[in-house]
Each structure stands twice: as structure tokens, then as C-alpha cells.
């Protein structure tokens, strides 16, 4: 069971899904509201700008119509024959203009004719030169002139000048007619126009950067005022565009009245004037702000309703996963019940996860069942191995005891051989001095007979011991063969365990591959969910949970793989030690065979020695029976003595060889004993490992 990280806040999947859905819904509502607001704003802006533009052009046309009316009047007068005739005096032309002015209207303060030098007759009859005045210079140059309405210091009223050139019959400029209008007709016109929210347009002379007419109290678009405006934004930018002779529609903040306005600036044809039409922004876009607030309220209500619906849907969605969680916790608990299965309640991705989980648990149940069967086989093999080891240890102990007995007998035989050699040497000395000591022949023969009889008894004892030793070695060889056979059986069972361990590793690799495929499937599902967009958000979460479950399965598979690797290493150690045991048994068998051969040689030599001893007895009896033949027999005894000495030497050599073989056998048996002890330790280790594996496997209920 995974350990919970201390100090880390745990947030349930239902809360995460709820937060995710609400976040997505919130973002979607924001985006929808923003898009709706922008679309409405663009549409309304286009409509408002079109309306303001149309209204501005209407005012421009009205002002242009006023100017055109005055210019048409002046051009009609300039086409009069009296005005084009250079022979008519300036006074006559002026008188004629007075009559025309009186017939036109009361707002015409003055109308005068200016000759080519700029001379004109005033109302009081004086001749004055106005050549420096702009209305004369512009008109005489062939242009229609209109001045900005301005306060006259003479009349203390607003006056406006209109001027047109006068040509003769040859279309040569001979003067100019200038009409002075009292009052500001432009201001009167724009005062009647409402651009929106009680705002009136104004007229600005972009060439002189001055205000021609402004019907809005408390505002002044004059760039020459005291207040410095930023020409990169707001009103300063619009005025800069106007002073550059540009046209357009923009929204800005008036720094004087601190009101958000929409401005349309259009040039009035035939003049240096620009109509600056302004309207209240809220007057046109108040509905848009109300719409934005309504969208906010609707989004909040939608979020609340959606939250309730999402909570219900999330609970229904998470319910199967809760069952999966409880089942996994049951399996991961101390009981490890692999008989648990999760009922597939839904035919969707979660149902697929449940079915996949059930398949995985069923596969794991089969694997653990096989492990339990293998555990039983291992226990049986371990019992047989322990019994075999105990038998081998008992046999080795018996071999050691037999070897020690043989060693003692061989040592006794060696002593007897030494004694026999001394007796034979004494016989030889007696035979050499037989001529001098014939009188003591009987006593010497008697002593020789006794010595030979004792030697025969020793030889018989040695033969009996050698026979027993041969039987012991046969028994030892049989036990060694049985131990070797048992060890081979144990090796075969250990190899079978190793093959089963490899099968478990292959099954674990298959589980890891399944987990990897599940992880890949979860990644593909997440990619497909991302391709599905909003509709795949919930599936992306489920895919993420599948991926986490796959990662958990991968971790568990790695843990099982590590444990199986440890088991495999332990089995390899057992196989290695078992191979060493086989080698030791083979060496023991070979040593026993060699020792058996040596003992057979010793037996043959002792049989030959027994035959020789009988011959000595016969000779001694003959010597006792016939003293007369002593001299003649002494030569034969001398030869026999030499033969006996040779045989004694052979016997001594055989005895030394037997002692060396016994020593080697003793060393080999000690090695066998050490190998048996090591085998006992190995069997104990195998038993401990089997118990550990069994304790782990027994945790699973199958």
C-alpha cells in the first residue's frame, strides 16, 4: 500500500472535476460574454459611427449651403454689367451695392466694391484703401473668401466677411465685392443640431488653429488655449489631426468637462473649416454597458445552476471509481484477497477499466496459485534434501569411524611388521652364526616358530581388518552413490524451480507490458480527449486516472520483479552449491575407489605373506624333526630369509603406502564433512528462503 505523504493536502477527484468543470464553464462564459460583448460592441460602434458620420455630413452640408448661398449672391452681383464695366465710377458701384444689400436682408451690415488697388468707399463716403486686408487679397486673387466670425471692435458685434473676384468682359480681375454679414450664422446653425446627449457640433479653422463656432458651453477646442494637451492621445490627438487637415471619427476624454465623448471631424468644402461634431459616449453605448452587466448576471446564475448539475454528474461518474478504490484497498491490505472482483455497472471507459482490473486480478490469482503450488514442491524438495544431507552426514561419520579403525589396525600392522623384520633379522644373524651356535639351534627354532606363529596371527588379524575395511568401503561407496543420485534429483528439482521462476518473471514482464500498454492507451485517450476539445475534458480526467493506475501497476510489477530476481539469485546460489556438492561426491567416490584398490593390494600382499609364513612354519617343523638336515637346510633358510626380507621390505612399503592412502582418505573425509556442513547451511538457507516466499505468497487469498 502506497504511503501517504505527510503535509500534502489531499483533494478528491470529485472536487478536482468540479473545480475543472466550473473553471471550464467560467472561462467559456467569460469567452462567450467577451465575444458577444465584442460583437455587439463592434456592431453598435459601426452603427453609431455611421449615424454620427451621417449627422456630421448633414451639418457640413448645411454650413456649406449657407456659404454657397452667400457666394451665389455675390457672384450674381459680380456678373452685373455695372460691376464689370471699368468706366463706371467706384461711387456709382458702391451706391448700387447699397441698394442690393438693402433688398437682400437685414443681417447684411455692408456690401462694398474694391477696385484693383483695394480702394473702397465707406458708409460715411470716405475713400479708404483695404489692399492689406485678407478678404481683398484672397478675393482679388481669384478665390472665393469667407472669414471666420469675429468680434468687431467698431460695431461691437460678430461680423463675417464674404468676398468674390470681379472680372471684366475679357475675364481680367478688376476688383472684388465683399459682403459683411452681422452675426454668427454658423453658430446659429450648429446650435440647432444635437449630436447626442445634448452635445452640439463646433467649427474649427484648421489652418489658423482657432475655433470658428462652439455651441457647447464650458468647452473650447482652441489649441492656443492655456491648457496643454497631449497630442498622442485623447482630445490632443484629435485636435492635432484636425489642425493637419485630416478627417475621421474617434472616441476621447474631454479634459475640461471630464466626459467620455465620440467625435467626428469633417472638412467643410471651400473653406479651411472642420466640423467637429461631438456626442456623449454613454448616450450611444449605455445599452452596451447594460448588456455587459446583464451578461455578468447571467454568467453567475449559469455558474450556480451548472455547479449543481456538475456535482450530481460528478458523483454519478466517480461512484464506479469509488468501488474500484475499495476493491484495490481490500486487495492491497494484509489479507491480499485475490478473489475480489468488481461488478461492471457501466458500459463506458470506467467499465473498461473495471473489466481490465478484474482480468488483471484473475491473471494475478492464477500466478499466485502457481506460486503456492511451487512453494509446496519446494517444501517437499527441501525436506528430501535435508534427509539426504542427514544421511550423507551419517555416512560420512561412519566412514570417518571406519577409517580411524583401519588407521589403528594399519598402525598395529606396522608395529607387527617392524617386529617381524627384527625377528627375521635375528634369524638371519642366527643363520649366519649357525655353524658356531648349532647347540642353540633348537631354542632358536622354537623362538622362530613362536615368532612366525605370532606373525601369522597378526597377518590373519590384518586380513580380517582389511576384509571389514573393504566391506565398509563398499557400504561407503553405496551411500556415496545414493547421495550422488539424491543430489542429482535435488538439482533437477532446483532447475525446475529455476524454470518456474523464469515463468514468473515472464508473467511479470507480461504484466509490465500490460501496464505499459495501459499507460499508452491512457496517453492516446488523453490526446483524443484534447482533440475532442470541451467535449473530451471529462474523458481526459478519466484517462489521467487510468494512467495513474497504470503507473501504480508498473511500480507493483517492478517490486514483484525485484523479489523474483532475488529468488532467482538465491536459486542460482543453490544451483552453484549443488554443483560443488556433486563435484565433492564425485571426488569422494573416486577416492573410495582408489582406497579400495589399495586395500585389495594390501590383502593380496598379506595373503602372500601368510603363505610365506606357513612355509617358514613347515621349515621350522622340519628343522625340529631333523637336526641332521639343519646345515643343508640352513642354506635354504638363508635363501628363504632373503626372500622374507624382500617380502618384509615390500610389506613395509605397502604399509607406508596404506598409511599415506589412509591419510589422504582422512583428508578427503574431512573435506566431505566440511562439504556436508556447507550443504546443511545451504539447505537451511533454502528452507529460510522457501519460508519467506511462502509467507509472502500465503498473504494472497486465491
Amino acid at each position: 500500500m502506497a504511503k501517504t505523504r505527510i503535509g500534502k493536502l489531499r483533494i478528491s477527484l470529485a472536487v478536482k472535476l468540479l473545480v475543472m468543470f466550473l473553471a471550464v464553464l467560467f472561462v467559456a462564459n467569460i469567452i462567450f460574454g467577451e465575444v458577444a460583448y465584442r460583437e455587439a460592441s463592434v456592431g453598435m460602434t459601426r452603427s453609431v459611427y455611421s449615424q454620427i458620420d451621417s449627422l456630421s455630413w448633414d451639418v457640413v452640408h448645411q454650413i456649406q449651403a449657407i456659404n454657397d448661398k452667400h457666394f451665389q449672391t455675390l457672384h450674381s452681383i459680380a456678373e452685373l454689367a455695372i460691376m464689370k464695366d471699368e468706366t463706371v465710377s467706384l461711387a456709382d458701384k458702391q451706391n448700387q451695392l447699397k441698394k442690393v444689400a438693402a433688398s437682400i436682408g437685414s443681417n447684411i451690415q455692408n456690401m462694398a466694391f474694391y477696385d484693383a488697388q483695394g480702394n473702397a468707399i465707406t458708409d460715411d463716403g470716405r475713400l479708404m484703401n483695404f489692399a492689406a486686408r485678407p478678404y481683398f487679397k484672397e478675393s482679388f486673387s481669384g478665390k472665393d473668401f469667407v472669414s471666420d466670425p469675429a468680434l468687431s471692435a467698431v460695431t461691437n458685434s460678430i461680423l463675417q466677411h464674404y468676398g468674390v473676384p470681379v472680372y471684366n468682359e475679357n475675364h481680367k480681375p478688376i476688383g472684388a465685392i465683399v459682403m459683411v454679414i452681422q452675426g454668427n450664422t454658423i453658430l446659429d446653425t450648429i446650435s440647432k443640431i444635437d449630436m447626442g446627449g445634448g452635445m452640439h457640433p463646433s467649427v474649427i479653422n484648421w489652418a489658423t488653429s482657432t475655433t470658428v463656432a462652439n455651441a457647447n458651453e464650458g468647452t473650447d477646442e482652441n489649441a492656443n488655449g492655456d491648457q496643454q494637451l497631449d497630442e498622442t492621445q485623447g482630445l490632443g490627438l484629435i485636435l492635432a489631426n484636425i489642425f493637419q487637415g485630416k478627417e475621421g471619427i474617434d472616441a476621447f476624454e474631454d479634459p475640461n468637462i471630464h466626459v467620455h465623448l465620440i467625435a467626428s471631424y469633417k472638412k467643410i468644402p471651400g473653406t479651411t473649416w472642420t466640423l467637429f461634431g461631438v456626442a456623449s459616449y454613454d448616450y450611444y453605448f449605455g445599452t452596451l454597458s447594460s448588456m455587459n452587466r446583464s451578461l455578468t448576471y447571467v454568467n453567475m446564475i449559469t455558474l450556480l445552476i451548472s455547479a449543481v448539475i456538475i456535482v450530481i454528474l460528478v458523483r454519478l461518474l466517480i461512484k464506479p471509481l469509488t468501488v474500484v478504490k475499495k476493491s484495490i484497498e481490500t486487495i492491497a491490505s494484509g489479507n491480499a484477497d485475490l478473489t475480489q472482483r468488481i461488478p461492471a455497472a457501466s458500459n463506458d471507459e470506467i467499465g473498461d477499466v473495471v473489466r481490465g482490473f478484474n482480468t488483471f486480478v484473475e491473471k494475478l490469482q492464477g500466478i499466485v496459485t502457481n506460486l503456492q503450488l511451487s512453494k509446496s514442491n519446494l517444501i517437499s524438495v527441501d525436506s528430501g534434501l535435508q534427509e539426504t544431507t542427514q544421511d550423507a552426514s551419517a555416512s560420512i561419520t561412519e566412514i570417518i569411524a571406519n577409517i580411524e579403525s583401519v588407521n589403528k589396525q594399519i598402525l598395529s600392522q606396522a608395529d607387527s611388521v617392524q617386529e617381524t623384520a627384527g625377528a627375521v633379522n635375528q634369524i638371519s644373524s642366527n643363520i649366519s652364526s649357525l655353524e658356531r651356535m648349532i647347540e642353540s639351534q633348537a631354542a632358536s627354532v622354537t623362538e622362530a616358530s613362536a615368532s612366525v606363529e605370532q606373525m601369522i596371527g597378526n597377518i590373519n588379524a590384518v586380513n580380517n581388518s582389511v576384509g571389514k575395511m573393504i566391506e565398509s568401503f563398499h557400504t561407503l561407496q553405496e551411500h556415496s552413490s545414493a547421495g550422488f543420485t539424491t543430489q542429482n534429483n535435488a538439482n533437477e528439482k532446483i532447475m525446475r524451480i529455476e524454470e518456474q521462476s523464469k515463468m514468473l518473471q515472464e508473467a511479470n514482464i507480461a504484466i509490465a507490458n500490460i501496464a505499459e500498454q495501459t499507460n499508452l492507451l491512457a496517453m492516446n485517450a488523453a490526446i483524443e480527449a484534447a482533440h475532442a476539445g470541451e467535449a473530451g475534458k471529462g474523458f481526459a480526467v478519466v484517462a489521467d486516472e487510468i494512467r495513474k493506475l497504470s503507473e501504480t501497476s508498473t511500480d507493483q510489477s517492478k517490486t514483484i520483479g525485484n523479489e523474483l530476481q532475488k529468488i532467482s539469485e538465491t536459486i542460482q546460489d543453490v544451483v552453484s552449491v549443488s554443483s560443488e556438492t556433486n563435484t565433492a561426491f564425485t571426488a569422494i567416490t573416486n577416492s573410495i575407489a582408489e582406497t579400495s584398490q589399495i586395500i585389495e593390494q594390501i590383502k593380496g600382499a598379506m595373503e602372500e605373506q601368510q603363505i610365506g609364513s606357513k612355509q617358514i612354519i613347515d621349515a621350522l617343523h622340519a628343522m625340529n624333526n631333523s637336526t641332521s638336515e639343519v646345515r643343508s637346510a640352513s642354506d635354504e633358510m638363508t635363501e628363504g630369509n632373503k626372500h622374507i626380507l624382500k617380502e618384509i621390505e615390500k610389506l613395509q612399503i605397502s604399509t607406508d603406502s596404506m598409511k599415506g592412502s589412509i591419510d589422504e582418505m582422512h583428508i578427503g573425509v574431512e573435506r566431505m564433512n566440511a562439504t556436508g556442513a556447507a550443504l546443511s547451511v545451504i539447505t537451511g538457507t533454502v528452507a529460510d528462503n522457501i519460508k519467506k516466499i511462502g509467507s509472502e505468497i500465503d498473504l494472497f487469498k486465491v
Side-chain angles (χ1 to χ4, degrees):
M1 185 179 293
K3 295 183 179 178
T4 304
R5 294 183 179 178
I6 299 175
K8 186 175 181 181
L9 181 62
R10 183 180 184 274
I11 302 176
S12 65
L13 180 60
V15 175
K16 292 179 181 178
L17 289 175
L18 177 61
V19 173
M20 182 194 69
F21 285 135
L22 290 179
V24 170
L25 187 59
F26 178 76
V27 172
N29 286 337
I30 292 297
I31 294 174
F32 172 76
E34 185 67 20
V35 170
Y37 178 78
R38 288 183 179 273
E39 290 294 329
S41 177
V42 170
M44 184 171 290
T45 300
R46 189 181 298 113
S47 176
V48 169
Y49 280 17
S50 176
Q51 182 178 352
I52 293 176
D53 186 71
S54 177
L55 186 59
S56 298
W57 278 119
D58 184 56
V59 178
V60 168
H61 292 156
Q62 291 183 32
I63 296 174
Q64 184 182 7
I66 293 172
N67 292 337
D68 290 343
K69 176 182 176 182
H70 294 314
F71 284 131
Q72 288 175 2
T73 300
L74 291 176
H75 282 297
S76 298
I77 295 173
E79 291 296 324
L80 294 175
I82 190 174
M83 299 297 169
K84 301 175 70 172
D85 190 355
E86 294 181 89
T87 61
V88 177
S89 64
L90 187 58
D92 291 339
K93 292 181 178 180
Q94 184 63 35
N95 291 329
Q96 185 64 33
L97 290 176
K98 286 184 178 180
K99 295 178 181 177
V100 173
S103 64
I104 292 176
S106 59
N107 62 334
I108 298 178
Q109 185 187 35
N110 185 26
M111 186 180 294
F113 182 87
Y114 298 81
D115 61 13
Q117 290 75 32
N119 297 318
I121 299 175
T122 64
D123 290 339
D124 55 5
R126 292 180 299 163
L127 180 64
M128 296 183 65
N129 186 274
F130 298 93
R133 301 295 175 89
Y135 49 80
F136 171 73
K137 291 193 295 183
E138 293 290 331
S139 299
F140 188 73
S141 65
K143 300 177 182 179
D144 292 343
F145 173 79
V146 56
S147 67
D148 296 342
L151 180 64
S152 174
V154 178
T155 61
N156 196 24
S157 60
I158 301 297
L159 301 178
Q160 190 176 9
H161 295 77
Y162 288 87
V164 296
V166 178
Y167 300 96
N168 60 11
E169 296 296 337
N170 296 324
H171 200 69
K172 177 184 177 181
I174 59 174
I177 297 176
V178 177
M179 180 174 62
V180 180
I181 304 297
Q182 186 176 10
N184 193 342
T185 57
I186 298 175
L187 180 61
D188 295 338
T189 301
I190 63 178
S191 297
K192 299 175 183 178
I193 304 300
D194 186 357
M195 298 294 294
M199 303 295 293
H200 304 287
S202 59
V203 179
I204 299 174
N205 191 327
W206 54 267
T208 60
S209 301
T210 58
T211 302
V212 175
N214 184 11
N216 299 298
E217 297 181 359
T219 61
D220 185 9
E221 293 81 9
N222 193 341
N224 295 325
D226 296 335
Q227 188 174 8
Q228 296 295 327
L229 299 176
D230 184 4
E231 295 184 356
T232 62
Q233 60 182 353
L235 179 60
L237 177 61
I238 293 176
L239 291 178
N241 292 335
I242 291 175
F243 298 153
Q244 293 173 10
K246 297 180 180 180
E247 296 180 333
I249 298 178
D250 292 299
F252 70 96
E253 184 79 19
D254 192 323
N256 296 323
I257 60 177
H258 302 288
V259 176
H260 194 190
L261 302 174
I262 301 176
S264 171
Y265 40 101
K266 306 292 181 183
K267 293 174 66 176
I268 300 175
T271 67
T272 57
W273 298 343
T274 295
L275 177 70
F276 183 47
V278 293
S280 173
Y281 186 89
D282 293 335
Y283 177 79
Y284 288 100
F285 291 96
T287 304
L288 188 63
S289 299
S290 177
M291 174 186 173
N292 192 19
R293 288 192 297 271
S294 298
L295 284 175
T296 302
Y297 296 147
V298 169
N299 286 339
M300 293 176 64
I301 294 172
T302 302
L303 283 175
L304 291 176
I305 297 174
S306 300
V308 175
I309 297 174
I310 290 171
V311 167
I312 297 173
L313 293 178
V314 166
R315 286 183 177 178
L316 293 176
L317 183 64
I318 296 301
K319 186 176 180 181
L321 292 179
T322 304
V323 177
V324 173
K325 173 189 173 186
K326 291 181 179 178
S327 299
I328 292 175
E329 287 177 349
T330 301
I331 294 174
S333 63
N335 295 328
D337 189 0
L338 294 180
T339 61
Q340 291 287 329
R341 296 294 185 272
I342 303 172
S346 57
N347 190 17
D348 53 11
E349 289 76 6
I350 295 178
D352 295 338
V353 172
V354 170
R355 286 187 288 273
F357 176 78
N358 289 335
T359 303
F360 168 74
V361 173
E362 184 177 356
K363 181 68 175 178
L364 185 60
Q365 182 181 3
I367 293 171
V368 174
T369 302
N370 293 330
L371 283 174
Q372 289 180 345
L373 294 175
S374 300
K375 181 198 73 171
S376 301
N377 294 330
L378 283 173
I379 291 173
S380 300
V381 170
D382 178 65
S383 298
L385 184 60
Q386 288 182 354
E387 292 176 358
T388 304
T389 304
Q390 291 174 358
D391 292 340
S393 178
S395 299
I396 290 171
T397 303
E398 186 177 355
I399 290 171
I400 291 173
N402 291 328
I403 289 174
E404 289 178 353
S405 177
V406 170
N407 191 22
K408 291 178 181 179
Q409 292 175 1
I410 289 175
L411 291 175
S412 177
Q413 181 183 356
D415 294 338
S416 299
V417 169
Q418 292 296 330
E419 292 177 358
T420 302
V424 172
N425 288 327
Q426 186 177 1
I427 292 171
S428 178
S429 62
N430 290 330
I431 291 172
S432 62
S433 61
L434 183 62
E435 295 295 333
R436 298 186 308 269
M437 299 177 65
I438 194 64
E439 64 276 5
S440 62
Q441 181 179 5
S444 297
V445 169
T446 303
E447 185 179 357
S449 297
S451 298
V452 171
E453 288 177 357
Q454 185 179 1
M455 183 178 66
I456 291 173
N458 291 331
I459 289 172
N460 289 328
V462 170
N463 285 333
N464 293 329
S465 298
V466 169
K468 291 180 180 180
M469 187 182 296
I470 290 173
E471 292 177 358
S472 297
F473 274 112
H474 284 312
T475 303
L476 179 61
Q477 191 169 11
E478 290 176 357
H479 287 304
S480 177
S481 299
F484 185 78
T485 302
T486 304
Q487 183 64 34
N488 285 333
N489 293 333
N491 288 341
E492 290 177 358
K493 292 182 179 179
I494 290 171
M495 294 303 294
R496 191 179 305 166
I497 292 170
E498 185 179 11
E499 291 176 356
Q500 292 176 351
S501 176
K502 290 180 180 179
M503 292 174 62
L504 290 177
Q505 289 180 345
E506 292 175 356
N508 188 55
I509 292 172
I511 293 171
N513 291 334
I514 292 172
E516 183 178 359
Q517 293 296 325
T518 305
N519 191 15
L520 181 60
L521 178 61
M523 291 176 62
N524 292 333
I527 293 172
E528 294 299 327
H531 289 168
E534 296 297 330
K537 290 292 184 177
F539 183 65
V541 175
V542 176
D544 185 63
E545 291 301 319
I546 294 174
R547 180 183 61 79
K548 292 179 179 178
L549 180 60
S550 174
E551 291 176 352
T552 303
S553 299
T554 302
D555 294 339
Q556 294 296 328
S557 176
K558 289 181 179 178
T559 302
I560 294 172
N562 293 332
E563 292 298 327
L564 289 176
Q565 184 64 30
K566 293 179 181 178
I567 294 172
S568 178
E569 291 175 356
T570 303
I571 292 173
Q572 291 295 333
D573 293 338
V574 174
V575 171
S576 177
V577 173
S578 178
S579 298
E580 293 177 359
T581 304
N582 282 338
T583 303
F585 272 120
T586 303
I588 291 170
T589 303
N590 294 333
S591 297
I592 290 172
E594 292 175 358
T595 304
S596 179
Q597 291 176 1
I598 292 171
I599 293 173
E600 290 290 335
Q601 292 176 1
I602 294 172
K603 185 177 180 182
M606 293 305 294
E607 289 176 353
E608 292 178 0
Q609 186 179 1
Q610 188 175 13
I611 293 171
S613 298
K614 288 181 179 180
Q615 290 175 359
I616 292 172
I617 290 296
D618 292 338
L620 289 175
H621 284 305
M623 287 176 65
N624 289 326
N625 294 326
S626 179
T627 306
S628 61
E629 296 178 358
V630 171
R631 289 187 180 272
S632 60
S634 64
D635 295 332
E636 295 178 1
M637 288 178 64
T638 302
E639 296 297 327
N641 187 50
K642 291 180 181 179
H643 181 72
I644 291 171
L645 288 175
K646 291 180 181 179
E647 293 297 329
I648 290 297
E649 289 178 358
K650 291 180 180 180
L651 182 60
Q652 287 178 341
I653 293 170
S654 299
T655 302
D656 292 336
S657 178
M658 288 175 64
K659 288 177 65 178
S661 298
I662 290 298
D663 291 337
E664 291 179 356
M665 287 175 63
H666 193 270
I667 293 172
V669 169
E670 288 181 349
R671 290 180 181 175
M672 288 174 61
N673 193 18
T675 303
L679 186 61
S680 298
V681 174
I682 292 170
T683 55
T685 304
V686 171
D688 292 338
N689 289 327
I690 291 173
K691 289 179 180 179
K692 290 180 181 179
I693 295 172
S695 62
E696 293 294 333
I697 294 174
D698 289 337
L699 293 176
F700 294 93
K701 180 181 178 182
V702 297

